[in-house]
Amino acid sequence: MVDTLALLFPHVAVSGALTVRVAVSYLPEQSAPDQSRWFWSYHIRIENDGEGTVQLLERYWKIIDGRGNIHEVRGQGVVGEMPVVTPGESYDYVSGCPLDTPAGAMSGHYIFVDEDGARVIAEIPEFSLLSPLERDA
């Protein structure tokens, strides 16, 4: 049997009852390699397999470009939202990442709060950002 989710979201991290899945796509129409601009979109799915509701409060991203430079991004919520994820449900969103190199990588974590007010950390799996130039190398 084929695991459709694994095909759609090849990058997965499980943190307790929370699963974070990631699919990434290079966007040639938003990239301009001759101007040192490469752009990727990433689709995140957060699944709550626990028995309690959680709310996403914060995000942390570690972005590494092709030269090894590290960029850290911290902020409230995701794409302007602080979603509530009930037991057995999931939350999806799509965002993007520009780089001035044709390759890089991203990883990080989300901070949630549960029904009791306790903080819950969900890891975001590391995933590569590869332009066609890098994939073919």
Side-chain angles (χ1 to χ4, degrees):
M1 182 171 145
V2 174
D3 183 352
T4 306
L5 271 180
L7 292 174
L8 294 174
F9 297 95
H11 311 282
V12 180
V14 178
S15 303
L18 297 174
T19 300
V20 177
R21 300 179 187 275
V22 182
V24 62
S25 300
Y26 174 70
L27 299 182
E29 66 278 6
Q30 292 188 31
S31 298
D34 56 330
Q35 298 171 22
S36 295
R37 179 178 164 84
W38 290 266
F39 196 87
W40 293 264
S41 73
Y42 53 89
H43 179 169
I44 303 279
R45 171 168 290 168
I46 301 165
E47 301 168 355
N48 181 357
D49 296 319
E51 296 179 7
T53 297
V54 294
Q55 182 175 17
L56 193 154
L57 298 181
E58 300 174 38
R59 70 185 182 285
Y60 165 78
W61 284 106
K62 178 179 173 185
I63 304 165
I64 304 172
D65 70 19
R67 291 186 284 278
N69 296 318
I70 297 173
H71 310 274
E72 295 182 306
V73 178
R74 297 175 192 273
Q76 290 188 324
V78 290
V79 294
E81 298 182 12
M82 296 174 106
V84 172
V85 188
T86 56
E89 297 297 318
S90 62
Y91 173 79
D92 286 66
Y93 76 94
V94 176
S95 192
C97 180
L99 287 180
D100 61 5
T101 61
M106 293 177 68
S107 63
H109 64 261
Y110 298 114
I111 299 174
F112 291 82
V113 63
D114 68 15
E115 295 168 323
D116 298 324
R119 292 166 66 93
V120 178
I121 306 280
E123 295 299 322
I124 303 168
E126 182 171 347
F127 55 95
S128 296
L129 304 170
L130 299 173
S131 71
L133 280 172
E134 295 297 314
R135 278 196 304 263
D136 298 338

